[in-house]
Amino acid sequence: SSSSQSSVSSQNSRGTKKKWFLEEDVTLVVCMVDLYNVGIYNANTGFKADYLNKLERMLEKVLPHAMLKARYNLESRIRTLKNYWAIIYHMLS
């Protein structure tokens, strides 16, 4: 299954880099939308500080073999997705 493959990493100059799969990206976005819709972690500028830990716990239930950590994996991937979205948003407007 692709979720068991998600622990596969490639080596780079800073250490181990996680390879993200489409299923993980989709699940991450779905969980973030769920957090937003619940409203507990909403703030005027986005999400409250503890949302990454909650997101980590949510993803652990759905993708138990992915071993995604809030501080490293999720922060980095959310930043990457924001950059991709900004590029696409500017292309469409």
Side-chain angles (χ1 to χ4, degrees), residues 2-93:
S2 64
S3 62
S4 63
Q5 295 172 348
S6 63
S7 61
V8 174
S9 301
S10 61
Q11 195 69 18
N12 69 9
S13 61
R14 293 179 290 178
T16 305
K17 182 174 179 168
K18 184 193 181 331
K19 179 177 167 55
W20 281 79
F21 293 93
L22 179 60
E23 175 189 9
E24 294 169 336
D25 279 338
V26 169
T27 305
L28 173 61
V29 171
V30 166
C31 287
M32 289 183 73
V33 169
D34 287 349
L35 275 181
Y36 179 82
N37 288 336
V38 168
I40 297 171
Y41 293 93
N42 295 352
N44 291 336
T45 58
F47 287 103
K48 291 181 182 176
D50 194 41
Y51 87 98
L52 283 174
N53 293 327
K54 176 64 176 172
L55 197 54
E56 180 182 327
R57 290 188 300 271
M58 290 172 73
L59 289 168
E60 177 63 29
K61 291 178 185 174
V62 181
L63 301 168
H65 300 291
M67 299 184 298
L68 299 170
K69 297 297 173 201
R71 185 73 181 150
Y72 303 104
N73 304 123
L74 300 180
E75 257 184 0
S76 174
R77 192 57 178 177
I78 289 169
R79 192 175 21 229
T80 300
L81 292 174
K82 279 183 181 179
N83 289 338
Y84 288 159
W85 172 250
I87 292 167
I88 292 168
Y89 178 80
H90 290 307
M91 287 171 42
L92 295 174
S93 39

